[in-house]
Amino acid sequence: MYKKLIAYSNKIFNLFSIIASITDERLKPQIDTVKIVAAIVIMQFTNLGSLNSLSQEIAYKNFKKDIPSVSTIARTADSLNLEEIRGVGIEIYAKARKKKMLEACYEMWVGVVDGHEQIVSPYCKCKYCKSRIVTKKGGVKETQYYHEFTAFILAGPKISFILDIEPILPGEGEISSSYRLIERVCKNYPRAFEIVIGDGLYLKETVFNLLEKHNKHAIAVLKEERRQLSQEANSLSLLSEPKVYRQKKTYYRVWDHSIEGCWDGYGKGVRVIVSEEATPKRVHSKDGKSFEDRLNRANWMWVTNLPCSDNLDDLKNTVRICHSRWQIENQCFNETVNTWNADHVYRHSANAIIVFLLMLFICVNIFNIFRIRNIKDRSIKTKIYLIELINAGFHATRRPLPPIPIPI
Ligand SMILES: [Zn+2]
């Protein structure tokens, strides 16, 4: 399976050629940058999880000729060019989109933005380290250092595609970092999405205006704290009938209000979508002997500047698109940490941390496409099993790398 994945990455995405465009700033490099980047790709694809595991593989399999030493990889990662790595991500995206490997999310191309704490470390080693005091058991206080990022993904019905990340610097909040991220993503992926979704934090006129400048619509979660808008929506809901429908097991009561003059600063009318959702669920009864039927209820409100539509199917799709925000939590943050070790500090420097994350996202994107399009074997049900097969293939191989073009 390892060979299949490497061959697929090379044949479909030309991966081992396009990574040759990445450079670094070592003064007298003895090893070509492309070999170092290729080693990182192998480490991420095989989910080795640390440079230490990679060094053991190199020693055990006698890969010294093919794979540079981990100290060289770590040192080079300090100065690998981030924009060039992002360029590789853009090329992978362009190929995937052209070959129709990505799908729109309920008839729209949807971007999702959110912030996340990625890495925790007991040591402060770089300029992006944020710090906090943690009180441990027994009252011992300890300073903890951590890195936060905002991330941007494309949501999709089967897979989400991770586009980019931006560090949240010490002393700034998520929104400041997201401005830089949104600007860059709109520039690098101008036609990849038509709408961007964020949580309650993103209900800001600056965010809506920035996206409007790039001809994108916005959706943000509306929380009770935004008194004027949420109260107006609630009182309008009392006065009007919802649209009622069922999708799969969930029953929906949805109101779609057009509201003007309740959002100081934005100055334009917006739609507030209110959704009351109820899903029947069968759970074990307290005595453990039988089952009980329960209704799981959830209430949601979103604000958007998407144009209004009277069509019920459009409204249903809009509600589903609003819900696709969870993909960034599940498929980007949780999955890359739980399955792909994205919270591991491979090398603690401001540049290297981003290098390893961007490279991981490139590999995860290719892996996800490879999995849904190429794995027809029904026995390979889970991602974890497929990763294990790839890892086992790597252990068995004698030549871990395809021929790599060395730039002159
Ligand atoms: Zn740091």
Side-chain angles (χ1 to χ4, degrees):
M1 199 55 84
Y2 171 76
K3 276 190 176 162
K4 259 193 186 169
L5 176 63
I6 295 290
Y8 183 83
S9 320
N10 227 4
K11 189 175 154 215
I12 307 291
F13 296 104
N14 216 3
L15 179 67
F16 289 88
S17 299
I18 53 180
I19 55 172
S21 60
I22 299 172
T23 59
D24 69 277
E25 290 167 14
R26 283 171 300 161
L27 287 176
K28 285 183 184 166
Q30 299 201 327
I31 297 172
D32 297 300
T33 313
V34 65
K35 280 196 170 176
I36 287 154
V37 181
I40 298 176
V41 167
I42 287 174
M43 181 178 70
Q44 307 289 31
F45 267 149
T46 50
N47 203 6
L48 290 175
S50 68
L51 285 169
N52 190 27
S53 310
L54 181 66
S55 82
Q56 285 176 13
E57 290 290 331
I58 297 171
Y60 175 65
K61 300 274 300 190
N62 206 4
F63 280 156
K64 275 193 190 139
K65 264 200 309 238
D66 302 290
I67 304 179
S69 76
V70 294
S71 58
T72 310
I73 299 174
R75 208 165 13 90
T76 311
D78 289 343
S79 70
L80 277 171
N81 187 308
L82 295 176
E83 286 319 301
E84 288 163 0
I85 298 179
R86 289 192 170 105
V88 171
I90 296 168
E91 278 198 51
I92 304 283
Y93 161 79
K95 290 203 165 81
R97 183 81 181 252
K98 197 172 167 202
K99 291 185 196 287
K100 303 210 176 342
M101 293 167 159
L102 301 175
E103 286 177 69
C105 198
Y106 312 112
E107 296 173 19
M108 271 205 154
W109 291 94
V110 178
V112 187
V113 61
D114 200 9
H116 182 66
E117 177 184 316
Q118 192 79 30
I119 280 158
V120 180
S121 162
Y123 312 107
C124 174
K125 287 193 178 168
C126 78
K127 62 180 181 188
Y128 292 166
C129 272
K130 294 183 138 192
S131 69
R132 64 183 161 214
I133 308 283
V134 185
T135 312
K136 297 249 162 164
K137 267 186 195 164
V140 185
K141 291 198 166 151
E142 202 175 78
T143 311
Q144 196 180 56
Y145 298 93
Y146 61 104
H147 280 228
E148 287 182 316
F149 291 93
T150 44
F152 196 105
I153 66 161
L154 273 188
K158 289 191 190 130
I159 52 167
S160 46
F161 194 93
I162 307 169
L163 294 188
D164 203 353
I165 49 163
E166 173 66 25
I168 304 175
L169 304 178
E172 75 174 7
E174 180 178 328
I175 289 293
S176 309
S177 154
S178 77
Y179 292 147
R180 295 194 296 274
L181 181 65
I182 291 171
E183 278 282 5
R184 189 168 61 231
V185 171
C186 286
K187 182 174 134 262
N188 286 347
Y189 299 90
R191 290 212 294 249
F193 50 91
E194 311 151 76
I195 183 153
V196 177
I197 311 179
D199 61 20
L201 265 186
Y202 293 83
L203 187 52
K204 281 197 157 29
E205 54 273 17
T206 40
V207 175
F208 273 56
N209 286 331
L210 173 63
L211 287 166
E212 242 170 61
K213 193 181 95 188
H214 292 283
N215 300 315
K216 316 283 181 206
H217 293 291
I219 298 178
V221 174
L222 173 59
K223 297 256 171 77
E224 294 288 330
E225 299 97 81
R226 292 294 290 262
R227 279 267 186 81
Q228 232 190 334
L229 260 178
S230 60
Q231 275 179 356
E232 178 72 5
N234 283 333
S235 39
L236 284 172
S237 295
L238 291 174
L239 298 172
S240 58
E241 285 296 313
K243 299 261 188 334
V244 180
Y245 60 89
R246 182 184 164 188
Q247 234 163 21
K248 291 192 178 156
K249 285 182 182 164
T250 305
Y251 295 88
Y252 292 83
R253 284 158 51 85
V254 180
W255 289 263
D256 184 358
H257 305 301
S258 296
I259 296 179
E260 277 189 50
C262 288
W263 182 356
D264 275 346
Y266 186 54
K268 284 165 250 179
V270 284
R271 277 167 78 187
V272 175
I273 295 171
V274 183
S275 176
E276 288 180 5
E277 299 163 15
T279 314
K281 210 174 179 193
R282 179 156 278 202
V283 290
H284 284 289
S285 62
K286 277 185 185 148
D287 59 10
K289 290 175 186 160
S290 57
F291 291 99
E292 281 173 17
D293 287 319
R294 269 201 209 148
L295 262 188
N296 280 358
R297 291 180 187 278
N299 293 331
W300 287 95
M301 286 205 271
W302 300 278
V303 178
T304 178
N305 54 7
L306 271 172
C308 295
S309 158
D310 287 335
N311 185 323
L312 180 61
D313 285 334
D314 285 349
L315 183 64
K316 284 182 187 176
N317 277 343
T318 308
V319 171
R320 291 164 101 173
I321 287 168
C322 291
H323 276 303
S324 64
R325 197 186 67 79
W326 64 266
Q327 289 191 11
I328 199 163
E329 301 271 349
N330 289 10
Q331 296 183 20
C332 178
F333 299 137
N334 295 348
E335 198 177 292
T336 54
V337 168
N338 297 336
T339 313
W340 294 98
N341 303 301
D343 56 343
H344 179 73
V345 184
Y346 291 86
R347 162 84 166 181
H348 196 149
S349 76
N351 198 67
I353 286 178
I354 305 174
V355 164
F356 284 103
L357 280 172
L358 288 175
M359 290 305 302
L360 175 67
F361 295 151
I362 289 171
C363 293
V364 169
N365 286 338
I366 295 178
F367 169 88
N368 282 335
I369 293 175
F370 172 73
R371 178 170 173 260
I372 55 164
R373 293 179 67 92
N374 267 47
I375 303 299
K376 305 281 184 251
D377 184 347
R378 290 269 173 101
S379 69
I380 306 174
K381 279 190 186 139
T382 64
K383 287 187 187 182
I384 298 197
Y385 183 43
L386 179 58
I387 294 169
E388 275 176 15
L389 290 179
I390 294 166
N391 196 284
F394 176 64
H395 285 300
T397 187
R398 286 195 186 162
R399 304 202 55 199
L401 284 170
I404 296 176
I406 308 285
I408 304 157

